[in-house]
Amino acid sequence: MEKVAGSVEYKPIKKVVSGNYAAAYAALHARVQVVAAYPITPQTSIIEKIAEFIANGEADIQYIPVESEHSAMAACIGASATGARVFTATSAQGLALMHEMLHWAAGARLPIVMVDVNRAMAPPWSVWDDQTDSLAQRDTGWMQFYAENNQEVYDGVLMAFKVAETVNVPAMVVESAFILSHTYELVEMIPQELVDEFLPPRKPLYTLTDFDNPIAVGALATPADYYEFRYKLAKAHEEAKKVIKDVGREFGERFGRDYSEMIEKGYIDDADFVFMGMGSLMGTVKEAVELLRKEGYKVGYAKVRWFRPFPREEVVEIAESVKGIAVLDRNFSFGQEGILFTEAKGVLYNEGVRPIMKNYIVGLGGRDFTVKDAKIIAEDMKKIIESGKLDREIEWYHLKR
Amino acid sequence: MNTLFGKMKEEAKVISPKSVDEYPEAPVSLGTTLINFTGDWRTFMPVIDESKCVKCYICWKFCPEPAIYIKEDGFVAIDYDYCKGCGICANECPTKAITMVREEK
Ligand code: SF4
Ligand code: SF4
């Protein structure tokens, strides 16, 4: 990622870490106070590392061992309601088991931050990368940030806390199973004093331990009141868009890596078509676009960083400037299509913007997606745009035929 | 006032927001939920026979609401604003001093 002009000079702490360790270090640097988690592959090493920090006396964190993810999130909810900064992590079936509690955390407006290590849902049993687990939690009211690499995992957790605590909505930072979680990369970490300046202690809306002003959390709302609370959560998501951009810009100014856009764009201006996708997949795509450009393809990329709240305006802007969009979905909504595809198409309807859009289902369950694959898709998109005809809307790209 | 929460209960306020902006940001009950009279749910009401009561306070400990309080004379009493009529107290009382009586409404 490019350095931002005018960003402050500081000496980063350079560490070669896995995505999971990057997440654990970010939680440490964010000075989380409570962690409740249950180990599940491939998330396990996040909480192992946090347990190690605690054992070594490097962190003053209350670690709550629990018997399942449902309890983990319940414990996080309780801790967050007291006003603490709370962190947890999970994957796939574990995240699914949390489902009910995810609604609870968002509904109660508790800014918990969780790392979900994307892992395919079973059966067939799989521990490899697939975004369907996190996207199935789309409607729980959690914000979602998709990291492309280990640096973005680290930065994402720090930013997620700041955004979550500003709008009082929980946030998920999502990374790929093994591709990031267990792969080591150089990550530039930020000295503690500078993180502290960026992320001051949490100021909760209400706390359970303010005995002079008692509150009851999660009490009953009859039909006379429920609706208004839903609207407030919806509005918080809308407000979060501005906060995300501001926090992303501030992060860039302070630390040199700019996240002021909810969608990271490249070569958009003169592109005939772009690849749109999320997560580690987009690292491969960016590499491919560099090569394709040299070969004369007028192609760009749009990496969706924040999926919730959904960057409607930015998608429209991209669609206005291109003839085609190849949406790469490492996920699938059965009975319909790739989830990002649905969302991206949906926002364009009332704008009257109609680039040709094709949905490529790729990489499910950890299937490799390579630069070569991106090239084949680019070739296909080129043909579609030249002919103006979409052969089929949804392509199961890797299928053995 | 000789009930569990006495004066606090009298002072508890009902806030009825008129517009969405008047609602608290998170769905919390500001103040306490003392005005949430769970006693409305009751079908059977526990009645204490003080002549059988040995002041063991087992009922006081077991009441889930809690709707049982200890009076100045040491006997237990029930705050019917909160007693939901579950019958746990009657079941637990070792001397069978509490009976559940069907309420006519
Ligand atoms: S019936 Fe249940 S709620 Fe009522 S006083 Fe007895 S234990 Fe408490
Ligand atoms: S359990 Fe029975 S005997 Fe014991 S305090 Fe309650 S009413 Fe009295």
Side-chain angles (χ1 to χ4, degrees), chain B residues 48 52-60 76 93-95 97-98:
Chain B
I48 299 170
K52 288 191 193 160
C53 175
V54 294
K55 300 180 180 175
C56 69
Y57 306 137
I58 287 174
C59 57
W60 172 79
V76 288
C93 174
T95 66
I98 306 178

Side-chain angles (χ1 to χ4, degrees), chain A residues 74-340:
Chain A
C76 287
I77 287 167
S80 188
T82 68
R85 182 168 287 162
V86 182
F87 178 82
T88 189
T90 192
S91 287
Q93 321 292 123
L95 182 64
L97 187 51
M98 277 183 185
H99 175 74
E100 182 213 354
M101 286 288 129
L102 296 186
H103 280 282
W104 221 104
R109 306 290 300 276
L110 301 170
I112 299 161
V113 169
M114 159 163 68
V115 168
D116 175 58
V117 184
N118 267 153
R119 166 186 151 184
M121 296 299 298
W125 208 249
S126 167
V127 293
W128 292 275
D129 188 24
D130 190 309
Q131 297 165 337
T132 313
D133 65 341
S134 54
L135 289 170
Q137 306 305 330
R138 184 188 65 171
D139 305 330
T140 54
W142 282 59
M143 299 187 285
Q144 295 194 344
F145 174 92
Y146 285 80
E148 178 199 323
N149 50 43
N150 296 355
Q151 183 70 58
E152 289 195 0
V153 173
Y154 177 83
D155 296 347
V157 169
L158 296 181
M159 285 187 289
F161 269 114
K162 184 144 177 160
V163 175
E165 290 174 11
T166 307
V167 293
N168 292 290
V169 174
M172 216 180 271
V173 174
V174 187
E175 58 159 313
S176 305
F178 301 105
I179 296 169
L180 299 189
S181 70
H182 287 65
T183 304
Y184 282 65
E185 278 182 347
L186 180 71
V187 172
E188 292 195 357
M189 298 184 189
I190 301 161
Q192 187 67 59
E193 330 72 82
L194 299 184
V195 177
D196 290 346
E197 279 172 26
F198 172 73
L199 189 65
R202 176 184 164 202
K203 286 199 201 75
L205 271 176
Y206 311 100
T207 111
L208 274 177
T209 49
D210 178 0
F211 299 120
D212 295 327
N213 299 295
I215 57 157
V217 178
L220 181 78
T222 64
D225 297 307
Y226 184 83
Y227 193 86
E228 277 66 27
F229 287 116
R230 292 292 95 168
Y231 174 79
K232 286 210 170 235
L233 180 54
K235 204 167 133 240
H237 266 265
E238 278 311 308
E239 284 163 7
K241 288 186 192 172
K242 185 178 180 302
V243 176
I244 283 167
K245 289 175 198 158
D246 289 348
V247 167
R249 186 172 307 111
E250 185 191 341
F251 197 91
E253 281 160 7
R254 284 179 186 269
F255 310 125
R257 291 182 295 277
D258 181 77
Y259 291 88
S260 59
E261 292 180 315
M262 294 172 80
I263 300 182
E264 185 190 332
K265 307 166 193 77
Y267 302 103
I268 292 273
D269 295 340
D270 68 332
D272 280 341
F273 66 94
V274 290
F275 291 105
M276 182 178 279
M278 304 192 291
S280 61
L281 195 64
M282 293 309 285
T284 309
V285 167
K286 283 156 83 171
E287 184 81 28
V289 166
E290 297 285 342
L291 293 169
L292 288 163
R293 276 274 160 182
K294 286 195 188 108
E295 294 174 21
Y297 288 83
K298 291 177 91 178
V299 59
Y301 63 85
K303 182 182 88 185
V304 177
R305 282 188 183 128
W306 289 89
F307 178 77
R308 278 291 181 273
F310 194 69
R312 302 173 68 91
E313 301 77 9
E314 291 181 43
V315 170
V316 173
E317 217 174 277
I318 291 162
E320 273 168 347
S321 74
V322 295
K323 295 185 192 125
I325 303 178
V327 180
L328 308 178
D329 268 309
R330 191 170 220 149
N331 60 73
F332 197 73
S333 174
F334 299 98
Q336 179 63 338
E337 56 200 6
I339 297 165
L340 179 60

Side-chain angles (χ1 to χ4, degrees), chain A residues 107-109 205-206 214-216 218-219 224-225 228-229 231-232, chain B residues 17 19-33:
Chain A
R109 306 290 300 276
L205 271 176
Y206 311 100
I215 57 157
D225 297 307
E228 277 66 27
F229 287 116
Y231 174 79
K232 286 210 170 235
Chain B
S19 81
V20 67
D21 299 326
E22 287 173 27
Y23 279 82
E25 198 53 32
V28 297
S29 298
L30 300 173
T32 69
T33 50

